[in-house]
Amino acid sequence: MPPQEHIQPPVQTPKGTRDFYPEDMRIQNHLFDGWRKTCHAFGYEEYEGPTFEHLELYVGKSGPEIVEQLYHFKDKGDRDLALRPELTPTLARMVNQKGNSLRLPIKWFSIPRLFRYERAQRGRLREFFQLNMDIIGCDTIAAEVDLISAVIEMLKGFGLGSNDFAVRISSRKLLSEFLDHLGIEAEKKPAVYTALDKRAKIGEEKFRVLLSEQGINTETANRLEAFFQCRSIEDIVSRVEGMNDPAGLSELKELFALLAQLGHGDFVCIDTSVVRGLAYYTGIVFEVFDKGQNLRAIAGGGRYDSLLSSLGGLAIPAVGFGMGDVVLADLLNGKGLLPIKRQGLDYYLADVASSEGLPRTELLSLAQRLRVKGRAVSYSLNGGKLKKQLAEANDQGVSRVLFLGSDRAPAGSYEMKDLTSGEQKMVGEEEL
Ligand code: HAM
């Protein structure tokens, strides 16, 4: 008997990662193009950082959830490094490194590939892309207005409307003031924020346990719970009765008035249950959700006025958000706004006289001349029957076919067929 061959199972992609075949790349490029277009229209400039950083950039800054999800490792020089789970600490580091030499405020964007060791679930992967738009050096809500307007215009640009998504807005500042009012000490606040952010995920009972671990009694927990139900400025006003004119509330009022004046009223709402999982937020926070609320957040962000100084820089205010590619593509797909057709080529050169084999030099040099003129051109690499060549042209989304070797065409002219209209005519090379 011949020795049994040892058959290896094919190697799969690691859990939570994706392959991008050309049809997936088309979708990816569609998202990136839409993102870049809005960033450009709003005057943001693109930047990029390294895909791995020193571990300490994240520990203690981003909050426990992200740190639990870090891909970290030691390099050969025994340094502790981590694949970036988000870009905000990198941005803060980069701005800090420039010190006073940047003219503030700056408006920057980036589309990094990020890594998080997440539990595999719909809308959350271990490797994904995330548009980041940030404004550094603006301490008024002009920054929030700019960013929230950009989110809305961007999603509208993809074909979504106010029936499809909403920007849910709250304020860490107001929440912090409310916690002060309830007598919750400053050092307990981070743990309370984490509990609040996890509330929807872990359920009421576990949430209450987390609060009682922080020494928060039932009465206070009930008041927090009630605060969380606010869905309008009026709701908040009634909940914060007895508080002395909270600054967080004035800011929210101002922001909503401005957004309404800009015609964004249908796209935004108050939702005090939005806390954000990341530790560094200090002011307005927001998350974008699909209206069906079947999906995870499409985007999230807010103001983080202390991150730069906590990383050793100057005390410079900052606001920004991140929008992932996974949920957005899911949402667009569900609304019939994908897939995206292959970008069409201008011409396909079909050789009427071709047999199997190398393309003729005449055909190759016509392709070359047309490409020099900026036209996108393809032809069959293997030759073969005309029918086969035309099928290939169709697959490639070509708009026009030029026939070479047709005895009807005078020298220097080609028979051309428009594949969309079916129209056929004779054209000279200079017209192409
Ligand atoms: P984040 O809420 O962690 O914020 O992420 C923002 C968005 O990135 C999410 O709403 C989601 O669309 C996407 N996202 C997050 N994790 C995953 C995942 N595992 N798979 C797929 N998509 C994901 C931040 O990262 C902040 N650094 C954003 C920011 C920028 N804040 C200020 N500036």
Side-chain angles (χ1 to χ4, degrees), residues 86 88 116 118 123-125 128 130 132 134 276 278 280-281 297-301 304 320-322 324 326:
E86 57 159 338
T88 315
R116 294 186 192 178
E118 291 242 24
R124 290 290 179 266
L125 296 175
F128 60 99
Q130 188 198 61
N132 278 250
D134 289 84
R276 306 280 299 133
L278 294 156
Y280 46 67
Y281 293 111
I298 304 166
Y304 51 101
F321 74 86
V326 184

